[in-house]
Amino acid sequence: MKLSKLTPEQVARYLRLDEEALAEDIQPRLLLKAAKSYIRGFTGLSDEEIDQHEDLTLAALVLCAEFYENRTLSVDAAHQNRAVDAILSMYRTNLL
């Protein structure tokens, strides 16, 4: 599945959110938007280039879960999800 086809409803199901969260739809939409932005910034790929790599959709879902589960202000770059880091690093073009 292409990342552009991933919907907030699919993100909500992946996160196993309850019916109230599904009805609001704000949080899954924001999580998905943030994950896409993170992937673009990390890899330097355009949306069209991202859609050529379906494994980035899985990375986006894992990022959504990370963002949802770790809703704190502190950031610890040393503990980035290894699977996400490996997938995104394969397509990284902005290595300057």
Side-chain angles (χ1 to χ4, degrees):
M1 166 189 280
K2 294 180 179 187
L3 183 53
S4 64
K5 302 294 182 190
L6 188 62
T7 66
E9 294 78 18
Q10 291 168 317
V11 170
R13 282 196 300 273
Y14 181 80
L15 298 176
R16 297 182 181 171
L17 299 180
D18 60 16
E19 292 299 320
E20 182 178 322
L22 287 172
E24 291 178 14
D25 187 45
I26 294 170
Q27 197 165 35
R29 195 169 358 131
L30 291 175
L31 292 170
L32 181 56
K33 186 175 181 179
K36 287 179 178 181
S37 179
Y38 184 89
I39 290 170
R40 277 192 304 273
F42 190 96
T43 63
L45 298 175
S46 67
D47 289 336
E48 294 78 23
E49 292 169 322
I50 287 171
D51 271 351
Q52 294 174 10
H53 309 287
E54 293 191 10
D55 52 345
L56 291 175
T57 304
L58 177 59
L61 286 169
V62 174
L63 281 168
C64 288
E66 292 272 335
F67 295 157
Y68 181 74
E69 293 170 6
N70 301 306
R71 298 180 298 261
T72 61
L73 185 58
S74 64
V75 176
D76 188 0
H79 293 95
Q80 182 175 358
N81 183 294
R82 288 184 182 182
V84 170
D85 188 49
I87 292 170
L88 296 181
S89 292
M90 288 190 303
Y91 305 113
R92 194 168 195 177
T93 61
N94 55 353
L95 298 173
L96 298 179

